[in-house]
Amino acid sequence: MTMAVKVPETLAHLHYWNVELSRAADREEVLAAFHSSTRIAMVRLDEGLTGINSVKELMADLKRPNDNLYEVALWEDLVTIQNNELFYAYMVDNQAIVIPETIDAIRALTGPLTDSQKSIAKTNVTLGIGSAFY
C-alpha cells in the first residue's frame, strides 16, 4: 500500500509505503536490498536532507545538470519494520526520474547492448548516477 502526499510541490513528489512482508526480515536485510540498487539514493535526515527541497539543493551543490535527481531518494533513517510490516518514504524527481529508464529502453529496443546490467551501468556512468551517494 502506498500513499502519495498531496502538497503544492513542483520539484518532486513523496511516496510513503506500508508493505506487508511475505516473510520475516530485519531492518538491515531490507536496507541491504535497497542499497543494492544503483537507482536508489539513500539519504538521511541527520545529514540535513529533511525534505524534498534539501535533496534538490544537494543535486545543485553536486553540479548535477538542472539539479537532476535520476535516482529515487529514500530516507534510510525512516525505514522501519514492525512485526511483518515495512514502512519507508522516498521522493521522485518530477523531471529527471524517467531519463535513465528511457535511455535504457531505447538501448534495449535498438540493440547496441543486449545485456541489461551492462546497459544500466553505462547509463549510470554517463549520467553520474550513484556518484553523489556512494
Side-chain angles (χ1 to χ4, degrees):
M1 176 182 299
T2 181
M3 291 176 271
V5 179
K6 185 177 179 180
V7 295
E9 277 292 339
T10 58
L11 299 174
H13 56 277
L14 179 72
H15 287 266
Y16 181 78
W17 284 76
N18 176 2
V19 178
E20 183 177 341
L21 301 173
S22 61
R23 62 173 180 80
D26 61 25
R27 185 172 185 275
E28 289 68 34
E29 180 182 5
V30 170
L31 287 174
F34 285 138
H35 277 284
S36 71
S37 172
T38 60
R39 302 267 172 95
I40 297 176
M42 303 300 281
V43 297
R44 298 184 54 84
L45 296 168
D46 61 5
E47 293 174 347
L49 300 171
T50 57
I52 289 170
N53 62 324
S54 58
V55 175
K56 285 294 281 185
E57 288 171 13
L58 175 61
M59 296 304 100
D61 292 345
L62 295 171
K63 307 285 190 241
R64 287 266 184 104
N66 304 308
D67 311 334
N68 286 336
L69 173 63
Y70 302 113
E71 306 90 340
V72 169
L74 192 148
W75 276 271
E76 181 174 358
D77 38 357
L78 297 181
V79 173
T80 304
I81 295 180
Q82 293 179 341
N83 300 317
N84 68 330
E85 289 186 278
L86 166 65
F87 304 88
Y88 61 97
Y90 63 82
M91 76 171 265
V92 176
D93 185 312
N94 288 343
Q95 307 301 317
I97 196 70
V98 299
I99 294 170
E101 285 78 14
T102 302
I103 293 169
D104 295 338
I106 291 168
R107 200 177 288 122
L109 290 170
T110 59
L113 277 177
T114 57
D115 183 309
S116 63
Q117 293 306 310
K118 288 180 181 177
S119 179
I120 289 168
K122 182 175 183 173
T123 302
N124 290 353
V125 168
T126 302
L127 295 176
I129 293 174
S131 61
F133 301 99
Y134 306 103

